[in-house]
Amino acid sequence: MQEIIEQAVKALDEGKLVAIPTETVYGLAADADNKEAVMRIYAAKNRPTNHPLIVHVANSEAIKFWAREIPEDVKKLTDAFWPGPLTLILKRSERAKDFVTGDQDSVALRCPSHPLTHALLEAFDRGQGKGLTAPSANTFGKISPTTAEHVREDLGSKVDLIIDGGPCTVGIESTMLDLSQGEPRILREGAVTAQMISKVINKEVFHGKKESSPRVSGSLKSHYAPEHTMELLDELDMIRRAQFLARSFKTFALIAPSKISKRFERLAVKSFGYDNPEELQTNLYSWMHELDKSGADRILVVPPAYDETTAGVLDRLSRAATPKDK
Ligand code: TXA
Ligand code: MG
């Protein structure tokens, strides 16, 4: 482990790009203080340069280097959820340059819990809060990577080093909580839910953007889109739709609760079953990568019911099901 971390620190110091495993999705990392390196991220991902990046840090001590105002709630939240899948948006300090924040007055900070990346961030910090900008390690608009193999397939030679930390356990991107505008607001749903946050800070947590909220590229309507058309259906419609497609000589693949997916194993080109929403969340992107390659005409999905804990996975599913030109 020590060797790969030393190698990664060296590469990052030289302004190179390193793909890092996190508990949510794989990230494409560069030194957040190095403009040229950060610009290479935008180029590799083909991402518009006005889309801000998250700065990943080793611990909550680093916050003071990157934010100029630290509301009281920050300590409560970092004590409860860091390291982990919660990103905090705060008013930026001078350290957080335009090439990181997309010219906005705020900066997004996250401390990931994956042991390899955590160790890398600790080695990189040097007591100066040095951090890594790391968007998901995928081409802009494509499915986020949850294995090193996904990164290799999508970005390949554009990345100088890929750290293989195994499959991501959370499976969808971190919760983005904006604390830069007064009231706490979730700009992107994730594994840390509004209810969990609300309990810790003892305040109401709002959802979605206000006019003045910072931009979040994951909030473009269609963002996590697979190459194939995806349809979200309830159980009954799923059965009708599958029969219709079979009669029209169209192929389909599916993601559904196991008891449903089992019934379609032979009709579908490929099928994935989940026994609980968490299993779906952990595997969603991995399955979407595979379904994209399955060659099926349609991807049918029976999603879990909406509740606090499924908000994140339902959000990603509905974006994936939105046609790309929306
Ligand atoms: O789980 C995650 O957050 C992963 C892993 C790699 O840490 N990272 C990730 O980064 O999802 P990315 O760049 O794919 O998504 C970050 C989102 C983007 O939609 C970006 O627009 C938004 O966060 N963002 C970054 N800085 C922001 C800021 N200052 N204000 C508002 N939104 C911001
Ligand atoms: Mg992304």
Side-chain angles (χ1 to χ4, degrees):
M1 168 161 149
Q2 202 46 43
E3 200 176 316
I4 184 86
I5 286 172
E6 278 167 20
Q7 211 184 333
V9 169
K10 181 165 176 287
L12 291 161
D13 282 342
E14 289 168 357
K16 293 184 173 161
L17 301 185
V18 177
I20 54 170
T22 85
E23 67 281 17
T24 58
V25 300
Y26 274 70
L28 183 60
D31 177 355
D33 291 307
N34 182 336
K35 182 172 182 182
E36 267 173 45
V38 174
M39 295 316 283
R40 291 186 60 216
I41 292 183
Y42 289 104
K45 277 183 64 87
N46 204 5
R47 168 159 157 156
T49 50
N50 64 353
H51 283 220
L53 299 169
I54 299 172
V55 179
H56 295 65
V57 292
N59 48 50
S60 57
E61 292 294 298
I63 296 176
K64 62 177 184 285
F65 293 99
W66 294 96
R68 67 173 187 276
E69 262 176 44
I70 308 178
E72 256 175 67
D73 291 339
V74 169
K75 178 156 172 32
K76 295 181 194 158
L77 290 167
T78 54
D79 282 351
F81 301 114
W82 278 19
L86 175 68
T87 298
L88 300 175
I89 298 176
L90 301 172
K91 294 209 164 102
R92 71 166 166 180
S93 71
E94 276 177 27
R95 173 87 169 264
K97 297 285 191 290
D98 285 345
F99 58 84
V100 170
T101 68
D103 289 339
Q104 302 188 77
D105 193 32
S106 59
V107 63
L109 297 170
R110 156 158 148 77
C111 176
S113 66
H114 190 291
L116 274 177
T117 290
H118 197 69
L120 169 61
L121 285 164
E122 278 182 335
F124 195 70
D125 176 277
R126 281 123 175 179
Q128 302 161 26
K130 274 185 79 63
L132 300 174
T133 48
S136 48
N138 53 300
T139 305
F140 185 64
K142 287 208 178 164
I143 305 166
S144 294
T146 52
T147 65
E149 192 51 36
H150 294 155
V151 181
R152 226 169 272 130
E153 277 176 19
D154 183 359
L155 297 176
S157 59
K158 295 178 183 162
V159 187
D160 298 296
L161 176 69
I162 298 177
I163 302 178
D164 189 343
C168 302
T169 51
V170 173
I172 60 168
E173 298 83 349
S174 61
T175 303
M176 307 272 317
L177 182 69
D178 184 11
L179 295 173
S180 73
Q181 314 263 319
E183 63 198 9
R185 225 165 234 287
I186 291 186
L187 302 186
R188 180 174 73 186
E189 308 285 341
V192 177
T193 67
Q195 218 170 38
M196 289 159 71
I197 293 169
S198 199
K199 235 187 189 165
V200 167
I201 59 176
N202 213 358
K203 278 183 193 160
E204 185 178 355
V205 175
F206 298 86
H207 291 267
K209 317 198 270 191
K210 277 203 308 201
E211 249 341 279
S212 57
S213 295
R215 286 185 305 269
V216 178
S217 73
S219 67
L220 294 176
K221 248 189 166 174
S222 167
H223 187 70
Y224 305 93
E227 294 298 319
H228 292 76
T229 315
M230 184 185 261
E231 298 174 33
L232 305 188
L233 304 160
D234 65 20
E235 183 172 346
L236 199 62
D237 283 338
M238 156 74 209
I239 293 167
R240 288 201 197 105
R241 191 80 181 112
Q243 285 166 346
F244 172 81
L245 288 168
R247 274 202 309 275
S248 329
F249 303 103
K250 292 249 192 254
T251 57
F252 66 91
L254 81 118
I255 299 177
S258 300
K259 69 174 180 6
I260 303 173
S261 73
K262 281 206 183 85
R263 294 171 51 187
F264 288 93
E265 254 163 21
R266 262 177 297 149
L267 266 186
V269 175
K270 189 133 209 164
S271 64
F272 293 105
Y274 62 89
D275 288 325
N276 53 61
E278 208 185 325
E279 191 183 352
L280 172 64
Q281 180 182 292
T282 301
N283 293 293
L284 178 67
Y285 289 151
S286 222
W287 290 346
M288 277 165 61
H289 276 102
E290 283 204 44
L291 292 178
D292 250 2
K293 286 190 258 173
S294 71
D297 297 316
R298 290 276 188 285
I299 298 173
L300 309 182
V301 181
V302 180
Y306 179 88
D307 68 32
E308 259 284 316
T309 63
T310 57
V313 73
L314 289 174
D315 167 75
R316 303 311 189 276
L317 277 171
S318 70
R319 288 174 204 288
T322 303
K324 281 196 167 170
D325 48 7
K326 291 248 171 82

